[in-house]
Amino acid sequence: MNVQQPAGYPVGESIDDHQIPFWHNPARRALVYQLAALIITAAIGGYLFHNTVVNLKRQSIATGFGFLEREASFEIGESPIPFSASQSYARALLVGLLNTIKVAVTGVCLSLVLGLFVGICRLSGNWLVARLAALYIEVFQDIPVLLQLFFWYAVFYDSLPPPRLAITPLPGVFLCNRGLIFAVPQDHPAYRAMAAAFLAGCVIVFLLRRWARKRQERTGRIFPVVRTSFGMLLGLPFMVWAGAGFPVAIRVPQLSGFNFSGGMAISPEFTALLLGLVLYTAAFVAEIVRAGIQAVSKGQSEAAMAIGLKPWQIMNLVILPQALRIIIPPLTSQMMNLTKNSSLAVAIGYPDFVSVASTTINQTGQAIEGVAMIMVIYLIMSLITSAFMNWYNRKKAIIER
Amino acid sequence: MMTVYYGSGEDVRPPVTSTGALGWIRENLFNGALNSILTLLCLALFARVFPPLFRWIFIDSLWMSTSSACRNIKGACWSIISTNYRFILFGFYPYALQWRPTIAVLLLIVLLLVSRNRSFWNKSLLYAWIAGLLAMGILMQGGMFGLQRVQSDQWGGLPLTLLLAVFGLAAAYPLGVLLALGRRSRLAVIRVLSVLYIEIIRGVPLVSLLFMSAIVFPLFLPEGMTVNKIIRAQAAIILFTAAYIAEVVRGGLQGIPKGQYEAAESLGLNYVQTMRLIVLPQALKIVIPPSVSVLISAFKDTSLVVIIALYDLLKTTQSTLSNPNWMGFSSEAYVFLACIYFICCYGMSRYSRQLERELGAPA
């Protein structure tokens, strides 16, 4: 009798090989399927590779990454590290990568904050606030992010005035078609010391929280962690500032000729890109946060109320820890989406990695290498993000018996 | 043990402030200090934003004028739309023949609206779709039934956007299902190949795939063979969407209890029969709502073909804006475009929610 089983059924049946035809042995059939898949994939790959080699030879394009050493001979609008046109393509691409990382990291942080805020507003008991948040989510989710980028970019170039007539929403902040320009404190050694004090405050708070939790578990006594933490984080830098004699010198942007000098300027391209990405992604983050909080059953908050926890304690100790488990996986994909969408920078002329790579491809003709580099860079960034978020997810996951 | 003293025995009405409009306002807008402050803040925001916006859109605006008349007004210049809407919607399609893409788009919209109703989901709807898509192709392309031939490089605007989205999804869905099955296959080689494909495609931006279709793909083909730019972009969109559909379907497959597989096995069904008759019908039903989400993002993502200079809706709008006459009216043009996208996506997402309710309710 023939035993009909799904293809690829685990090997190791004790059916005598001699009794059944070759095609009816699941193990052998599985082998045939897999071999066929491999051969077909290899054949297609080989065919494409062959064509590519022939085409490259015909167009006499040299393959390989030798072009990275050559002089880039194009300028890059903004760059976190010094760059000039006489430097290599490799350095140009590094500048692009740093710009991508800059926009991705800033964008992720801002969209998390905005998304959390809107998501909580969406659940507010205040009808007006909830409707407003819903409107925001619906509008920004349903318009392509590229269109939003174009819109913000156009706002800068078509609607904002030239520097001479710049809008000043706050004193020291100027908004004009050259970007967002704002005052920054004059460089002073005290600021670096303040940053160090802030970092030290972070470490102390981290240790304090651990100690407070252990002590609470041991003795049941609650230590006012939140208040002390705020005190540490704000107080330490303040003390350093006071110790240095309150340096208050500020570099206010001055209009000189056709542009501002002094202060800090953020280019229209970067601002438009950041605005578009953050507003778009925050709408999705808000939906995820809302769904996560709603998924925590109502009985949980009722039980918490019944044992007399305060509202912020209910949120902090009961709802959020449970909601986070639901929120983290989809949040991870939103963070990756933001990073990948930052590649749309190429459309509005912000020099991110894709934009620089595309210029490089146009100048050198190294299309395959260029596209491959783009793909590899984004794959690596995705892998790092998901590795980090998986680690965080494991840390937050429910520990079952 | 409660004693109620109601003297005369008349009905005592609840206080006015807890019923009706007033009660609703108290309950939803002014219950507590924080909420009252929030409400007042929102109202202040409305007062600041809406009157000027209203003036800009309706009062200070011009709707049918020349571009020079628009230069002197404070409000919106909707004339950029009323003057250029045919180019924005249809791109370089020959002006006299634009009734053809119009009918094609209307046909598609009718098909979509009919498909909304789940009681029509049967074989004849499938045939209607096939016939409809064929008719659309003939209308767009021409060259048959006395219709003049229009080369595909003249296609643009809304039909292109819709075609890229609809064909993208139609072709990506079966591919995605296969990939999802591959990912859950017991055959190691097939599983590894599927996982590699899905993870690589999901890890890279669509822009890089579009670049690939535009500048690398021609190198893959044998000498002398060329493939139309639109079809190459379409291929990139299909490859991209398929990976996302695969993950959605995989979720559905994971939701099928093991007992279903075992029952199929005990009936003696083989792999193909098990999947086709038992597993996939149930799995695909579970994932209809998330599939609509994939459709929505595929529709929005078609706008990315701007980057490889295909004349979709966004690109036709941009080239209208690069006309010196209409330069500077980008807000109006983009708002118009945003409305088109919003209507389509909002419609789809509402539908997805309705489906979720229908399918989620116990039968």
Side-chain angles (χ1 to χ4, degrees):
Chain A
M1 191 191 144
N2 293 332
V3 183
Q4 285 239 323
Q5 272 165 335
Y9 208 69
V11 192
E13 268 77 9
S14 57
I15 300 161
D16 192 349
D17 283 353
H18 301 291
Q19 288 178 359
I20 50 175
F22 176 79
W23 188 239
H24 284 158
N25 181 331
R28 285 184 189 158
R29 198 160 54 179
L31 204 67
V32 171
Y33 281 144
Q34 304 194 50
L35 261 180
L38 261 188
I39 290 170
I40 292 172
T41 316
I44 295 175
Y47 176 69
L48 297 182
F49 182 75
H50 169 77
N51 284 336
T52 312
V53 170
V54 171
N55 282 324
L56 288 179
K57 198 170 276 172
R58 191 161 46 85
Q59 298 172 9
S60 52
I61 299 172
T63 52
F65 287 90
F67 71 94
L68 287 176
E69 305 290 320
R70 297 214 304 268
E71 191 177 299
S73 66
F74 60 85
E75 291 287 348
I76 296 182
E78 50 188 302
S79 143
I81 54 171
F83 178 79
S84 73
S86 60
Q87 280 170 312
S88 66
Y89 281 113
R91 187 154 174 105
L93 288 164
L94 178 67
V95 170
L97 179 60
L98 290 176
N99 277 336
T100 291
I101 292 174
K102 185 169 95 179
V103 83
V105 171
T106 332
V108 163
C109 295
L110 290 178
S111 59
L112 284 182
V113 173
L114 183 62
L116 192 67
F117 175 73
V118 176
I120 291 173
C121 282
R122 179 77 185 74
L123 291 171
S124 162
N126 188 318
W127 184 84
L128 216 52
V129 172
R131 289 288 91 196
L132 226 82
L135 183 74
Y136 168 84
I137 292 171
E138 207 60 73
V139 166
F140 282 89
Q141 270 191 341
D142 286 346
I143 297 172
V145 60
L146 187 57
L147 178 55
Q148 295 189 32
L149 292 185
F150 283 145
F151 179 81
W152 295 119
Y153 189 61
V155 163
F156 268 99
Y157 277 105
D158 288 347
S159 310
L160 286 181
R164 218 172 272 282
L165 304 166
I167 306 169
T168 47
L170 294 169
V173 179
F174 300 91
L175 200 58
C176 64
N177 61 11
R178 300 295 175 87
L180 181 69
I181 299 133
F182 50 87
V184 285
Q186 191 91 50
D187 203 22
H188 192 283
Y191 294 122
R192 241 158 275 152
M194 279 169 72
F198 182 76
L199 281 181
C202 289
V203 175
I204 293 174
V205 166
F206 178 72
L207 296 174
L208 192 73
R209 283 175 61 109
R210 271 178 54 175
W211 170 80
R213 198 170 53 235
K214 285 220 179 95
R215 193 183 74 147
Q216 191 184 350
E217 279 163 9
R218 213 176 48 243
T219 65
R221 274 185 294 165
I222 296 175
F223 187 79
V225 176
V226 177
R227 257 174 288 160
T228 356
S229 305
F230 267 108
M232 285 289 174
L233 292 180
L234 298 177
L236 281 181
F238 183 80
M239 263 149 53
V240 172
W241 193 43
F246 297 109
V248 286
I250 280 179
R251 279 194 300 157
V252 179
Q254 297 293 330
L255 195 63
S256 63
F258 291 105
N259 209 345
F260 284 98
S261 62
M264 176 100 127
I266 302 179
S267 71
E269 287 83 7
F270 182 78
T271 322
L273 184 63
L274 200 61
L275 259 178
L277 291 177
V278 167
L279 292 177
Y280 182 74
T281 314
F284 289 89
V285 173
E287 275 295 86
I288 292 168
V289 168
R290 178 191 63 84
I293 291 179
Q294 277 185 337
V296 178
S297 85
K298 206 161 175 251
Q300 293 284 324
S301 53
E302 286 166 353
M305 255 185 263
I307 59 169
L309 294 184
K310 299 190 185 78
W312 66 268
Q313 284 178 320
I314 298 179
M315 199 56 172
N316 200 16
L317 299 174
V318 180
I319 309 276
L320 273 187
Q322 299 186 67
L324 268 183
R325 287 184 197 122
I326 306 166
I327 291 174
I328 289 172
L331 212 55
T332 310
S333 26
Q334 284 310 322
M335 289 163 69
M336 286 196 223
N337 276 350
L338 187 138
T339 310
K340 282 187 285 169
N341 281 338
S342 73
S343 62
L344 298 176
V346 68
I348 57 169
Y350 173 76
D352 79 324
F353 188 79
V354 173
S355 174
V356 174
S358 148
T359 313
T360 306
I361 292 171
N362 283 337
Q363 287 192 359
T364 60
Q366 308 282 358
I368 298 178
E369 292 85 350
V371 174
M373 275 192 305
I374 296 175
M375 290 185 158
V376 168
I377 286 288
Y378 279 91
L379 274 178
I380 291 174
M381 284 198 288
S382 295
L383 286 178
I384 292 175
T385 316
S386 75
F388 174 76
M389 289 307 277
N390 282 337
W391 166 80
Y392 186 65
N393 192 23
R394 261 200 309 281
K395 241 186 80 159
K396 289 283 166 191
I398 198 161
I399 300 164
E400 287 183 277
R401 276 167 294 145
Chain B
M1 286 220 300
M2 200 162 67
T3 327
V4 184
Y5 298 100
Y6 269 160
S8 61
E10 276 175 28
D11 285 348
V12 175
R13 298 236 180 99
V16 193
T17 48
S18 66
T19 56
L22 214 60
W24 184 87
I25 289 173
R26 258 182 79 96
E27 181 65 26
N28 291 295
L29 299 179
F30 293 101
N31 54 336
L34 177 67
N35 260 348
S36 307
I37 295 170
L38 283 176
T39 303
L40 292 179
L41 274 180
C42 284
L43 291 177
L45 186 75
F46 284 148
R48 264 199 81 118
V49 171
F50 280 101
L53 198 64
F54 188 80
R55 282 189 74 85
W56 185 77
I57 295 176
F58 294 106
I59 298 176
D60 294 339
S61 57
L62 283 178
W63 294 75
M64 301 274 185
S65 69
T66 58
S67 58
S68 47
C70 276
R71 298 282 168 202
N72 306 315
I73 57 163
K74 277 193 197 145
C77 175
W78 300 114
S79 314
I80 183 178
I81 308 299
S82 53
T83 314
N84 298 304
Y85 75 97
R86 283 184 69 159
F87 180 74
I88 291 176
L89 289 181
F90 299 117
F92 294 107
Y93 208 89
Y95 197 80
L97 301 176
Q98 283 178 0
W99 57 272
R100 277 163 43 186
T102 313
I103 294 181
V105 168
L106 289 178
L107 203 61
L108 183 69
I109 292 173
V110 169
L111 276 173
L112 283 170
L113 288 181
V114 168
S115 312
R116 276 182 72 109
N117 191 338
R118 279 202 304 137
S119 57
F120 288 137
W121 286 9
N122 51 32
K123 276 249 166 65
S124 49
L125 184 66
L126 185 69
Y127 295 137
W129 266 100
I130 293 171
L133 291 181
L134 267 178
M136 282 174 65
I138 292 169
L139 277 168
M140 292 296 294
Q141 175 97 43
M144 268 182 241
F145 308 114
L147 295 173
Q148 194 187 321
R149 197 175 174 78
V150 178
Q151 292 303 332
S152 63
D153 49 11
Q154 287 177 291
W155 299 7
L158 186 61
L160 183 61
T161 294
L162 290 174
L163 283 177
L164 285 175
V166 169
F167 278 96
L169 205 81
Y173 214 94
L175 186 58
V177 171
L178 284 182
L179 282 168
L181 290 175
R183 187 163 192 165
R184 296 194 30 96
S185 164
R186 291 185 176 111
L187 310 180
V189 171
I190 291 176
R191 191 172 60 238
V192 168
L193 286 177
S194 311
V195 170
L196 271 181
Y197 176 86
I198 294 170
E199 293 304 332
I200 288 178
I201 297 286
R202 273 161 31 96
V204 301
L206 177 54
V207 171
S208 66
L209 290 182
L210 288 173
F211 275 154
M212 186 134 156
S213 82
I215 52 185
V216 179
F217 189 75
L219 293 173
F220 288 161
L221 296 176
E223 195 181 342
M225 186 174 157
T226 52
V227 174
N228 179 298
K229 208 163 137 187
I230 294 179
I231 294 179
R232 276 187 273 148
Q234 179 77 82
I237 290 177
I238 291 171
L239 291 179
F240 187 73
T241 314
Y244 283 83
I245 289 174
E247 284 299 275
V248 164
V249 174
R250 177 183 166 214
L253 290 176
Q254 284 174 351
I256 305 299
K258 214 173 161 217
Q260 296 285 326
Y261 291 90
E262 288 163 355
E265 237 165 69
S266 71
L267 284 175
L269 299 184
N270 65 24
Y271 178 80
V272 176
Q273 286 168 330
T274 310
M275 288 303 160
R276 195 171 68 82
L277 300 172
I278 311 278
V279 176
L280 277 180
Q282 300 182 69
L284 293 185
K285 189 185 153 193
I286 304 176
V287 298
I288 288 173
S291 302
V292 179
S293 307
V294 174
L295 172 68
I296 295 174
S297 32
F299 180 68
K300 283 189 292 180
D301 281 345
T302 55
S303 61
L304 265 58
V305 296
V306 168
I307 287 168
I308 54 166
L310 281 188
Y311 275 81
D312 80 321
L313 213 43
L314 193 47
K315 184 77 182 172
T316 52
T317 310
Q318 281 199 314
S319 38
T320 307
L321 285 169
S322 61
N323 177 344
N325 280 335
W326 296 105
M327 243 177 218
F329 298 118
S330 43
S331 312
E332 291 87 339
Y334 289 142
V335 166
F336 170 70
L337 208 52
C339 288
I340 295 184
Y341 276 106
F342 180 80
I343 290 169
C344 296
C345 295
Y346 186 67
M348 286 190 278
S349 72
R350 284 307 287 265
Y351 179 54
S352 149
R353 254 167 253 169
Q354 178 199 329
L355 270 180
E356 222 161 320
R357 268 199 306 278
E358 282 175 17
L359 297 172

